[in-house]
Amino acid sequence: MARLGPFETAPLVAAAISGGADSLAMTLLLARWARARGGDVVALTVDHGLRPEAAGEARQVASWLVARGIAHRTLAAPVPFPSRRGGLQAAARAARYALLAEWCREAGCLHLCTAHHREDQAETFLLRLARGSGLDGLAAMAPVADLGACRLLRPLLDVPRARLAATLDREGQPWIEDPSNRNPAYARVRLRKAQPVLDALGLSAGRIADAALHLRRVRAVVEAEIAALAARAVVIHPAGHALLDPAPFAAAADEVAMRLLARVLVAVGGGTYMPRLDGLERLAAVLRTGAALAGFGRGRTLSRCRVVGWRGRVLVCREPAALAPPVALPPGGAAASWDGRFRARALPSAPAGLTVGALGAEISEIMPAALRRAVPGPARPALPALRDRAGCLLAVPHLGWRRDGEPGMPGGETFCATLVFHPGRSLTGAGFTVV
């Protein structure tokens, strides 16, 4: 854990636990570590509702942990289960991390630990190698990652699975065997069955995990270069757009420039996946030429973004097409995500029926030209706007505008909700989200 710090005094740590040997051993070890520092651990089990026995397993895990003085919470995944590219396991993983991160946000917990171990790391490397991944993929899982709401920590990446099971045996602690870990329909299960063959060829889990570690060190160097270029060349506006200075991009190494450009597109576009390589290469080539601004002409689109020349720099903003539909904001309710870019929360004094959605073409009706200059024209249609239950425009916080005389905003409040630009993917790999 010392390698994953620093930690606050009396740290509060969340442990993702399924009840299997890996996560159960991690939770017991974390509880000792936290208590020795005056802190505490809360174990979190996600019930996806995919197996009828899952609820009973969560109760069993809770019983074991409570007997040891460890707090436990069961988090229910949304129903119906969300679909996602990559199949059922990818959808389950996305829902699981979303629930865990949201619990950490609400609880003010800064650290979420998972029990990925050495064999998991080796399997991740091989699976990504089979998909043709580059440096980012083959570096496999990082010990520390950013979930926005908290840090994701993997303290056991260099620990063999057998040592975790031995830890529980010594503690006299039983565990739950997940039947999906024996289902050959899953690629990871097939890899585990093939491991003896790989061992005979000298490709042990330890050797493969070491290769991932070496690549992760190389990636760390590249990440430092990306962060340095971002500081010199990118300005992220709270309204959700970015301005790029072409000169530092032109001077940077090709790989560094392309990686930063891709991350800007993902952050501003509110997407999840990196742009297609061919489109990214074409866009980067224009950006890195001496005539970059002229090369953009009327603009280009990629990864839900529009890219145009703007006052000596390059503007990257959300493409107006296919913006997310409005999201309801109950007064005093939990924060909601809109368009993969903004987190919004209605104040307790907000009127009922409040929603957040795209401003669209209404900008021309509400703002004098002098105030519209606060946000570049191409970026205005995708600004988040607050509307009342009748669908009438109530406020556009990033333009400093609200409807005069609107009830429900007493005490001198300027707006009835908070809106923060909070993309799902970090601009740099150092664990920070630029807002």
Side-chain angles (χ1 to χ4, degrees):
M1 290 295 285
R3 295 179 299 171
L4 309 183
F7 296 91
E8 68 274 23
T9 302
L12 173 64
V13 180
I17 182 170
S18 64
D22 310 334
S23 59
L24 193 50
M26 178 195 70
T27 301
L28 300 187
L29 294 168
L30 275 175
R32 280 187 200 153
W33 175 86
R35 287 168 180 168
R37 288 155 182 80
D40 208 353
V41 166
V42 178
L44 305 176
T45 300
V46 175
D47 180 3
H48 295 292
L50 296 175
R51 296 186 297 116
E53 61 270 27
E57 291 172 354
R59 289 192 294 270
Q60 177 63 77
V61 171
S63 175
W64 284 334
L65 295 181
V66 170
R68 292 176 175 268
I70 300 173
H72 178 271
R73 304 284 185 275
T74 299
L75 311 178
V79 178
F81 197 72
S83 61
R84 174 179 166 144
R85 188 176 80 182
L88 185 62
Q89 281 196 322
R93 184 168 55 252
R96 181 164 61 252
Y97 279 111
L99 282 170
L100 293 169
E102 187 57 32
W103 185 92
C104 288
R105 183 191 306 279
E106 295 295 330
C109 179
L110 303 178
H111 321 285
L112 169 66
C113 290
T114 62
H116 295 106
H117 47 67
R118 189 174 70 180
E119 284 81 1
D120 288 328
Q121 186 75 308
E123 291 163 7
T124 298
F125 178 93
L126 292 174
L127 289 171
R128 293 180 178 179
L129 181 65
R131 291 200 298 263
S133 295
L135 176 61
D136 285 346
L138 296 182
M141 292 180 284
V144 181
D146 173 36
L147 293 183
C150 60
R151 299 189 311 146
L152 175 64
L153 308 181
R154 299 183 177 102
L156 303 176
L157 281 181
D158 56 355
V159 178
R161 177 187 289 119
R163 283 185 59 188
L164 298 175
T167 297
L168 294 184
D169 285 338
R170 183 170 178 172
E171 292 279 338
Q173 174 63 59
W175 64 84
I176 296 168
E177 291 287 355
D178 185 345
S180 66
N181 289 332
R182 299 188 298 272
N183 187 346
Y186 298 123
R188 283 188 181 270
V189 175
R190 297 194 296 272
L191 272 178
R192 287 166 198 164
K193 290 185 176 181
Q195 191 58 53
V197 177
L198 296 174
D199 289 340
L201 295 172
L203 295 173
S204 66
R207 184 67 58 84
I208 296 169
D210 286 344
L213 173 60
H214 297 325
L215 290 172
R216 195 159 66 244
R217 289 171 177 162
V218 174
R219 186 175 67 178
V221 175
V222 177
E223 292 291 348
E225 290 294 321
I226 293 171
L229 179 59
R232 295 192 304 269
V234 181
V235 174
I236 299 287
H237 195 280
H241 59 271
L243 287 170
L244 314 184
D245 183 348
F249 270 92
D254 290 348
E255 185 71 10
V256 172
M258 274 211 309
R259 284 170 178 263
L260 178 57
L261 179 58
R263 294 178 187 187
V264 170
L265 291 167
V266 172
V268 172
T272 302
Y273 299 100
M274 290 297 178
R276 291 181 60 89
L277 183 59
D278 54 353
L280 181 64
E281 287 178 332
R282 287 194 296 269
L283 187 61
V286 174
L287 179 61
R288 287 163 58 78
T289 62
L293 299 182
F296 284 113
R298 293 186 176 180
R300 302 188 177 202
T301 58
L302 183 64
S303 289
R304 311 202 314 172
C305 291
R306 186 181 177 198
V307 185
V308 297
W310 181 262
R311 297 182 180 177
R313 288 186 286 180
V314 175
L315 170 68
V316 181
C317 59
R318 177 71 164 92
E319 184 184 12
L323 284 158
V327 173
L329 299 178
S337 175
W338 176 71
D339 199 45
R341 301 181 296 138
F342 288 91
R343 289 192 66 82
R345 184 194 297 269
L347 301 178
S349 57
L354 189 69
T355 63
V356 59
L359 174 58
E362 288 182 81
I363 179 67
S364 61
E365 302 174 13
I366 65 169
M367 293 290 293
L371 293 180
R372 287 206 301 270
R373 286 197 293 270
V375 173
R380 294 172 199 154
L383 285 174
L386 303 171
R387 291 179 171 83
D388 60 22
R389 64 167 68 250
C392 297
L393 200 61
L394 183 64
V396 187
H398 292 97
L399 293 178
W401 180 90
R402 74 175 178 90
R403 194 165 67 203
D404 290 335
E406 182 59 38
M409 288 183 275
E413 292 173 3
T414 305
F415 303 110
C416 53
T418 59
L419 282 167
V420 178
F421 178 53
H422 195 286
R425 296 288 293 268
S426 296
L427 192 63
T428 72
F432 299 100
T433 299
V434 180
V435 297

